[in-house]
């Protein structure tokens, strides 16, 4: 699971109201190369929740991201770091933890399981 | 390049006649060749617009090529007259002595021997070709296209008329695309994997291209995303069935390997989730450039959503899974009707597509003998721009709907959409038993058959023996 996916997710269990992103508990992280596409990255930059990305990258062992996203002009070195964090870090095994309820969503073979149990619906 | 939808549509219904289904009867294309010849003459009228441009591989996948028409006729004498009356100013630049050319013969409705083809090419001596012949990589490619009545048409009326065209190629499609991607050689397949040609058509309708993000909420084996990836798009998929999306049939036989097989970038993300209860964070919107999918119709494969059959019906209260069983527990899922499924899909698309983003999906329809107008699901954010029918059996077809997002999503819009959904469910699905198309497809055609003598009595409702995936 890449950080681009992590950035889109939340815990939707009945009763949980939070807005905070899921915390990553990483057990196995793999780096996979992905083609660099600046247009795609710029489009994504507008949609990403920056703090969640920075925290997520940190839990996967990458600390190069700036604390705040740059303004309108994003230069290439920044985009390269963004690209690496967003698309090249892969969580193969681990879990995503809801900060409010403590519920863990497992990630196996790179696929997060966001399906709710019967009582959580 | 996108042809006007009218042209794409006519070819769609004709060429796409086969599905991977084993118990739907194969129908031979009834009007295929007639429509092709109509389409060719339609095309020739606007080929003149594209004279100066060289189109390579961007012609879409249904069109084999585009040709500047130099002449036509019902026999070679007429063809000659027609070509000779075509202005020299349009012909001579492509016949120059410093260029190379090649003439090929294409036939529809018959096959020609090599000698017969050569004879036809040699008959063109009245065209002043000055250049040299190059069979491998000519500057200019010319085509003689000959159409003839099919000798055997099982005693029926011939569907083609004899007609001969001569033209210069101005654009061509990638002819290696379909043989390379056909499902026959795909590593990981499922019962409802999308046929390669159809997947490419869907990707085209969605305008999948480099720099775009395409999402399939019913990804299955990834057959539709493979085509989108081939057109350069980044892809993302989700499915409720974890065995399909995470495990596949092994480490080298899963969704990822389907992409690796063709050297395509693997999806940016795959996840297991329920479209009925999506885990998207609030505030997330306008993310995808296109959503392309084939939702479960409930005929050969039914949709599922969270909750478990008994819980959804209220027979059983929601229960808690004991701690020690929780890791391997696969949550129960209950039936998810087509109507509800499509409503959730429209809702997802309304929120998550960028403005002018495209939603492309199949919707099943019962083929009505009365020919009454079919109504499709609607949503206030979307404008329906294309409807293409693929006949599956005498009972039902599926239509490929292409919708464009024209209104931004908001709470007011959501309320209007909910009312539209209720109206659709109440008024347009009366012929579906509880929104279940399966029973309509499989019900016996004549109820009076039930009352024949006991020896030939057949079970009135054929049992569906397949699996609901």
């Amino acid at each position: 699971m890449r950080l681009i996916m992590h950035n889109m997710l939340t815990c939707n269990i009945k009763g949980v109201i939070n807005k905070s992103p899921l915390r990553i508990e990483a057990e196995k992280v793999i780096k996979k190369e992905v083609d660099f596409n600046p247009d795609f990255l710029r489009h994504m930059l507008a949609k990403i929740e920056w703090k969640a990305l920075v925290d997520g990258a940190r839990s996967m062992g990458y600390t190069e991201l700036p604390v705040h996203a740059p303004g309108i002009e994003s230069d290439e070195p920044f985009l390269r770091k963004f690209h690496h964090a967003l698309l090249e870090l892969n969580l193969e095994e681990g879990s995503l933890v809801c900060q409010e309820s403590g519920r863990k969503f497992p990630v196996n073979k790179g696929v997060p399981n966001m399906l709710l149990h019967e009582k959580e619906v | 390049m996108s042809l006007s939808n009218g042209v794409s549509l006519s070819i769609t219904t004709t060429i796409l006649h086969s599905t991977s289904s084993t118990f739907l009867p194969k129908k031979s294309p009834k009007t295929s060749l007639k429509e092709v010849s109509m389409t060719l003459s339609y095309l020739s009228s606007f080929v003149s617009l594209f004279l100066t441009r060289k189109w390579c591989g961007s012609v879409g996948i249904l069109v084999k090529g585009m040709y500047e028409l130099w002449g036509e006729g019902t026999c070679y004498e007429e063809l000659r007259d027609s070509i000779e009356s075509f202005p020299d100013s349009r012909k001579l630049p492509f016949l120059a002595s410093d260029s190379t050319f090649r003439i090929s013969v294409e036939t529809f409705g018959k096959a020609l021997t090599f000698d017969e083809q050569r004879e036809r090419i040699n008959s063109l001596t009245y065209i002043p070709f000055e250049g040299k012949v190059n069979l491998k990589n000519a500057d200019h490619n010319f085509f003689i296209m000959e159409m003839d009545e099919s000798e055997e048409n099982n005693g029926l009326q011939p569907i083609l008329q004899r007609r001969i065209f001569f033209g210069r190629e101005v654009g061509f499609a990638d002819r290696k695309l379909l043989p390379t991607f056909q499902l026959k050689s795909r590593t990981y397949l499922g019962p409802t994997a999308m046929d390669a040609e159809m997947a490419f058509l869907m990707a085209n309708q969605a305008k999948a291209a480099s720099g775009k993000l395409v999402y399939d909420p019913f990804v299955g084996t990834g057959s539709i995303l493979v085509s989108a990836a081939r057109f350069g798009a980044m892809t993302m998929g989700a499915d409720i069935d974890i065995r399909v999306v995470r495990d596949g049939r092994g480490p080298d036989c899963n969704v990822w390997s389907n992409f690796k097989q063709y050297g395509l970038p693997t999806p940016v993300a795959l996840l297991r989730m329920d479209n009925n209860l999506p885990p998207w964070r609030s505030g997330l919107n306008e993310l995808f450039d296109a959503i392309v999918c084939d939702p479960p119709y409930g005929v050969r494969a039914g949709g599922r959503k969270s909750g478990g059959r008994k819980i959804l019906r209220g027979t059983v209260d929601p229960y808690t899974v004991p701690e020690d069983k929780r890791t391997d527990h696969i949550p129960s899922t209950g039936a998810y009707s087509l109507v509800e499924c499509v409503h959730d899909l429209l809702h997802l698309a309304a929120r998550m597509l960028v403005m002018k983003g495209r939603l492309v999906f199949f919707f099943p329809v019962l083929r009505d003998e009365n020919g009454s107008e079919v109504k499709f699901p609607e949503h206030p954010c979307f404008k329906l721009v294309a409807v293409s029918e693929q006949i599956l059996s005498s009972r039902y077809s599926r239509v490929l709907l292409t919708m464009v997002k024209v209104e931004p999503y908001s709470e007011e819009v959501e309320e209007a959409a909910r009312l539209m959904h209720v109206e659709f469910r109440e008024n347009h699905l009366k012929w579906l038993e509880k929104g279940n198309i399966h029973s309509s497809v499989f019900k016996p055609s004549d109820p009076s058959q039930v009352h024949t003598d006991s020896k030939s009595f057949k079970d009135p409702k054929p049992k569906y023996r397949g699996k609901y995936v």
Side-chain angles (χ1 to χ4, degrees):
Chain A
M1 183 207 65
R2 296 179 163 97
L3 284 172
I4 185 174
M5 174 93 270
H6 164 255
N7 207 271
M8 300 204 270
L9 300 175
T10 189
C11 172
N12 57 346
I13 292 178
K14 187 172 67 178
V16 164
I17 339 155
N18 71 355
K19 296 276 195 306
S20 55
L22 301 166
R23 187 167 49 84
I24 296 180
E25 269 177 16
E27 276 157 45
K28 183 168 162 212
V29 176
I30 298 183
K31 293 189 177 69
K32 283 193 202 156
E33 240 184 74
V34 171
D35 287 340
F36 182 71
N37 188 329
D39 293 322
F40 177 73
L41 290 171
R42 288 202 178 92
H43 171 57
M44 283 297 125
L45 193 54
K47 301 284 154 197
I48 292 289
E49 214 207 74
W50 193 254
K51 182 164 190 305
L53 181 68
V54 175
D55 291 339
R58 203 155 282 163
S59 358
M60 306 238 276
Y62 185 66
T63 47
E64 308 286 315
L65 283 180
V67 175
H68 294 289
I72 320 280
E73 262 318 300
S74 42
D75 61 345
E76 181 157 327
F78 164 76
L79 280 182
R80 290 261 168 203
K81 286 190 203 153
F82 179 50
H83 170 81
H84 186 75
L86 194 72
L87 297 171
E88 294 187 329
L89 297 172
N90 277 276
L91 184 67
E92 281 291 304
E93 303 287 328
S95 28
L96 303 173
V97 186
C98 170
Q99 318 248 37
E100 191 175 312
S101 65
R103 163 76 146 95
K104 289 194 187 186
F105 293 99
V107 178
N108 300 114
K109 298 189 204 166
V111 175
N113 183 348
M114 306 305 294
L115 218 64
L116 302 179
H117 294 313
E118 289 76 354
K119 190 148 182 148
E120 298 162 335
V121 171
Chain B
M1 171 242 170
S2 56
L3 291 174
S4 73
N5 282 321
V7 179
S8 313
L9 285 178
S10 67
I11 309 178
T12 307
T13 52
T14 58
I15 295 177
L16 305 163
H17 55 272
S18 65
T19 66
S20 53
S21 147
T22 47
F23 48 82
L24 293 172
K26 276 200 163 106
K27 287 219 97 149
S28 56
K30 281 190 289 192
T31 52
S32 59
L33 298 170
K34 175 177 169 199
E35 294 220 31
V36 166
S37 63
M38 276 163 52
T39 310
L40 274 177
S41 52
Y42 183 99
L43 282 177
S44 68
S45 64
F46 73 92
V47 155
S48 55
L49 294 174
F50 305 117
L51 283 182
T52 49
R53 284 201 264 182
K54 183 140 172 90
W55 300 68
C56 292
S58 58
V59 187
I61 60 145
L62 288 178
V63 178
K64 271 175 90 172
M66 294 194 69
Y67 313 93
E68 176 190 36
L69 196 69
W70 284 18
E72 58 178 300
T74 53
C75 62
Y76 278 89
E77 289 72 34
E78 273 182 40
L79 179 71
R80 176 184 181 143
D81 291 337
S82 175
I83 294 176
E84 286 183 330
S85 62
F86 190 66
D88 276 348
S89 55
R90 303 270 289 273
K91 292 192 299 218
L92 294 177
F94 306 102
L95 303 171
S97 51
D98 56 352
S99 67
T100 55
F101 72 97
R102 180 197 169 154
I103 306 177
S104 311
V105 180
E106 298 246 351
T107 51
F108 297 91
K110 68 204 237 177
L112 291 179
T113 64
F114 185 66
D115 284 338
E116 285 171 323
Q117 289 183 38
R118 209 153 32 118
E119 199 190 299
R120 280 147 173 83
I121 295 173
N122 288 338
S123 76
L124 297 175
T125 45
Y126 51 86
I127 304 179
F129 288 99
E130 305 263 311
K132 286 200 165 71
V133 173
N134 183 330
L135 294 181
K136 284 223 164 89
N137 201 14
D139 295 323
H140 308 294
N141 282 295
F142 297 92
F143 285 81
I144 298 175
M145 289 179 212
E146 195 174 310
M147 266 177 273
D148 229 338
E149 295 173 4
S150 196
E151 273 120 29
E152 336 128 350
N153 200 26
N154 295 326
L156 297 173
Q157 285 281 35
I159 39 185
L160 277 186
Q161 270 110 52
R162 179 162 173 74
R163 197 135 191 95
I164 309 163
F165 296 92
F166 180 77
R168 177 180 69 87
E169 184 180 73
V170 295
F172 55 89
D174 182 355
R175 288 165 210 219
K176 291 208 201 73
L177 204 62
L178 295 183
T180 312
F181 283 82
Q182 60 182 350
L183 287 187
K184 221 161 55 179
S185 42
R186 185 78 53 97
T187 334
Y188 180 46
L189 285 179
T192 50
M194 186 58 69
D195 164 71
E197 187 176 28
M198 190 61 86
F200 281 115
L201 275 179
M202 293 173 83
N204 249 354
Q205 288 292 106
K207 297 197 170 187
S210 171
K212 294 202 174 173
L213 183 58
V214 174
Y215 178 61
D216 183 347
F218 304 97
V219 70
T221 55
S223 44
I224 298 176
L225 292 184
V226 164
S227 296
R230 173 60 178 75
F231 287 160
M234 309 281 274
T235 57
M236 188 180 290
D239 205 289
I240 200 169
D241 187 348
I242 194 148
R243 294 161 299 171
V244 173
V245 84
R246 180 192 66 190
D247 306 325
R249 246 174 247 127
D252 291 317
C253 182
N254 50 42
V255 180
W256 312 103
S257 66
N258 273 346
F259 287 79
K260 289 184 194 154
Q261 180 182 354
Y262 305 111
L264 293 171
T266 51
V268 145
L270 284 180
L271 78 155
R272 185 221 197 160
M273 68 170 221
D274 178 0
N275 292 310
N276 193 238
L277 288 170
W280 308 124
R281 75 171 149 85
S282 60
L284 183 70
N285 62 1
E286 301 205 355
L287 189 71
F288 303 122
D289 295 289
I291 295 179
V292 196
C293 59
D294 184 25
Y297 322 141
V299 179
R300 295 174 59 226
R304 309 297 288 174
K305 67 174 183 184
S306 301
R309 204 178 56 220
K310 293 183 181 153
I311 293 177
L312 291 170
R313 269 196 225 147
T315 319
V316 159
D317 285 330
Y319 47 83
T320 318
V321 179
E323 204 52 64
D324 53 333
K325 298 228 161 62
R326 221 173 270 184
T327 25
D328 292 323
H329 176 69
I330 297 183
S332 3
T333 50
Y336 190 29
S337 75
L338 171 67
V339 158
E340 201 184 348
C341 183
V342 171
H343 171 69
D344 288 339
L345 174 65
L346 286 171
H347 182 242
L348 163 84
R351 183 180 153 197
M352 300 291 262
L353 274 179
V354 300
M355 284 301 288
K356 301 220 210 121
R358 291 187 159 216
L359 169 63
V360 179
F361 68 102
F362 268 110
F363 186 73
V365 285
L366 285 183
R367 299 183 66 204
D368 205 319
E369 298 82 29
N370 306 334
S372 56
E373 213 194 274
V374 186
K375 190 117 194 302
F376 301 115
E378 288 181 306
H379 191 285
C381 287
F382 289 98
K383 179 176 158 199
L384 184 66
V385 298
V387 175
S388 320
E389 183 187 9
Q390 182 189 19
I391 297 172
L392 295 176
S393 78
S394 54
R395 289 281 174 81
Y396 83 122
S397 320
R398 59 181 182 179
V399 276
L400 185 65
L401 300 174
T402 308
M403 300 188 183
V404 178
K405 179 170 166 182
V406 293
E407 285 290 329
Y409 179 76
S410 66
E411 276 181 25
E412 294 81 32
V413 156
E414 184 173 340
E415 181 53 28
R418 197 187 61 80
L419 294 170
M420 271 184 168
H421 163 67
V422 167
E423 199 264 329
F424 181 79
R425 201 180 59 211
E426 242 112 83
N427 298 325
H428 299 284
L429 288 173
K430 282 196 203 120
W431 40 267
L432 293 179
E433 230 172 71
K434 291 185 218 151
N436 178 358
I437 196 171
H438 172 259
S439 46
S440 305
V441 172
F442 289 107
K443 73 170 192 264
S445 45
D446 186 5
S448 66
Q449 274 174 5
V450 174
H451 301 296
T452 50
D453 75 281
S454 53
K455 281 216 177 110
S456 55
F457 178 74
K458 252 176 88 174
D459 187 339
K461 183 172 174 174
K463 291 204 187 337
Y464 175 55
R465 288 175 215 282
K467 213 173 134 194
Y468 273 108
V469 173

